Amino acid sequence: MPSPPLAALLALPLPASLPAAPRARGRGSRERAALRALPRLAALWQLPRLAAVESTPPPPSSPAPLPESAGPGFDAVIGGGGGGDGGGGDDLGWVRVFPHVLTASMANFLFGYHIGVMNGPIEDIARELGFQGNPFLQGLVVSIFIVGAFFGSLGSAALVDNFGCKRTLQIDSVPLILGALLSAQADSLDEMLLGRFLVGIGIGVAPTKYRGSLGTLCQIGTCLGIIAALSLGIPSESDPHWWRTMLYAACVPGVLIVVGMQFAVESPRWLAKVGRLDDARKVVERLWGPSEVEKSMEEIQSVVANDDSQASWSELLDEPHNRVALIGGSLFFLQQFAGINGVLYFSSLTFRDVGITSGILASLYVGITNFAGAIVASNLMDKQGRKKLLTGSYIGMALAMFLIVYAISFPLDEGVSHGLSITGTLLYIFTFAIGAGPVTGIIIPELSGARTRSKVMGFSFTVHWICNFLVGLYFLELVKKFGVGAVYAGFGGVSLLSAFFAYNFIVETKGRSLEEIEMSLSPAAPVKRD
């Protein structure tokens, strides 16, 4: 789940939040082998996911880059594996990288975990801490960690520049662990809010640049974190104090990050950026083998030389950058107000509102469905194109919301009503996961020019962050005032508006170079609608 110096804005959706990695073009044999060897589970978002903030544009003549996705990780450990000739399907060079990225993905697991951890037990927490019946405060407890992540991200770039990705991940584990402990031991609303805020700071600090198919492990981590939180929350239906155990459990991944990163390698890109070229070469050789060193170092140094951090924010006012920024901000505004995080944060409560007794178990199906949709999206992304998936996704989300509204607003048999409500919710999550979630995070950096990409991403994800927080904060209050049916009908309406926007204002980026995309965004160029 952007703006320099913001280093980790989410998504998400996770959740972030979290975007699918499109098929690599012109990459080296190691990365191509990784793409073949690993399932292309690259479409987990957004859950807000955390999003990449610093883009890594290629030289102007190169094809469209592999967008940098959400989640902490080692950018050049993955992206630096280019080079080599050919490469068979039995190339297992990715195995050496896997443990390092897996350790880094723990931060994304925690992000997903804290998205889902309040889904079931929020009413028990409110009852025990004295704010029961106040939907605004319940929403604040759920969404305050997003505010913390926003502020944590403000210092992320400086930490990474000074200490590198490896040490930054260890440093950011401190508020992750302390925040979880404070939340688990909270005896008042203030202590709970402070603990959740500290957790958010840790999530926001986590460096978020990586690329390639192996980098999708970080996105998978977000989704698995949500599923873990919802699964662990099932006993809370019978134990009103179980939420403390759930929050204590959040300390474990933080400890694993601190210990695991001690054995992980540093990002070759950061090493090259600070002039430690010999160390960068050693890391590349260790991970990808001696034959990849020269080619990888050329790519890394080219990326560092073409860093876009010197671009001015005022350039977003010029054509075509202003159009891209408007599209990016609009896409995330529409994504959030189409309701995804309202569903993810509070599905257990809304299921109970429509009479489904085991709301947490039903919510677990939501997490699993999101994961399944991600798998489908990873296979459809390069076949159907970004625009078609985005438009179709929002149409599906609208139909799903209207199905739920029908189920709870018209006199139906109770069993039929419950079945339609669950079906509609799962359909909504699935259609979100195959388009509106991953495509939104992918298409913005693809539309952006090399010089202003990080600024456009920064603006877009700032909009996402703010809207994510507002949806989490006011969702329960709106449900209490207008009812689930009215709120979901509003989400369905926004989804239809989003489909209209995607069809009429989004340019297809699949299979097109940066130059072709920039030309299509020029005011003088006709917009290609397919």
Side-chain angles (χ1 to χ4, degrees), residues 135-387:
F136 178 83
L137 291 179
Q138 290 182 31
L140 184 61
V141 167
V142 170
S143 59
I144 190 66
F145 87 105
I146 293 181
V147 179
F150 180 82
F151 284 103
S153 69
L154 294 175
S156 175
L159 284 172
V160 173
D161 286 344
N162 284 283
F163 300 105
C165 296
K166 177 177 175 177
R167 296 302 177 208
T168 298
L169 275 168
Q170 290 182 310
I171 292 170
D172 103 286
S173 296
V174 175
L176 285 172
I177 296 171
L178 291 179
L181 287 173
L182 183 59
S183 300
Q185 297 174 348
D187 292 318
S188 68
L189 173 62
D190 291 342
E191 291 178 353
M192 174 60 71
L193 291 175
L194 178 58
R196 294 280 287 169
F197 183 80
L198 285 175
V199 164
I201 288 178
I203 289 169
V205 167
T208 61
K209 296 198 305 178
Y210 64 83
R211 60 200 301 163
S213 184
L214 285 176
T216 63
L217 285 172
C218 297
Q219 298 163 303
I220 294 170
T222 300
C223 188
L224 293 180
I226 294 174
I227 294 175
L230 295 175
S231 301
L232 191 59
I234 292 176
S236 67
E237 291 188 329
S238 57
D239 183 353
H241 306 294
W242 182 252
W243 60 271
R244 295 188 184 273
T245 301
M246 297 174 67
L247 291 171
Y248 276 125
C251 300
V252 177
V255 174
L256 292 177
I257 292 172
V258 174
V259 176
M261 293 311 296
Q262 193 62 34
F263 302 96
V265 297
E266 184 54 86
S267 161
R269 184 177 301 167
W270 179 77
L271 293 171
K273 186 176 181 180
V274 297
R276 295 168 56 183
L277 296 179
D278 289 341
D279 291 336
R281 288 175 181 274
K282 291 177 183 178
V283 171
V284 173
E285 182 175 356
R286 175 182 172 185
L287 293 176
W288 298 108
S291 63
E292 303 293 335
V293 173
E294 293 306 320
K295 177 64 176 177
S296 297
M297 289 303 298
E298 288 177 11
E299 292 181 355
I300 291 170
Q301 289 177 283
S302 174
V303 164
V304 172
N306 286 277
D307 189 277
D308 59 352
S309 59
Q310 301 304 313
S312 168
W313 283 98
S314 63
E315 293 183 41
L316 294 188
L317 300 176
D318 300 329
E319 289 282 358
H321 312 306
N322 57 356
R323 183 178 176 187
V324 177
L326 178 62
I327 289 174
S330 299
L331 281 176
F332 274 122
F333 177 90
L334 293 169
Q335 182 201 64
Q336 289 304 300
F337 285 103
I340 181 59
N341 283 308
V343 175
L344 288 172
Y345 291 149
F346 304 109
S347 56
S348 294
L349 297 184
T350 51
F351 277 133
R352 292 174 193 169
D353 284 345
V354 297
I356 298 171
T357 54
S358 184
I360 295 179
L361 185 59
S363 294
L364 178 58
Y365 298 151
V366 167
I368 295 173
T369 301
N370 179 70
F371 189 80
I375 298 174
V376 174
S378 66
N379 291 308
L380 291 179
M381 193 66 62
D382 288 331
K383 296 177 182 178
Q384 298 299 321
R386 326 297 194 231
K387 182 174 179 176

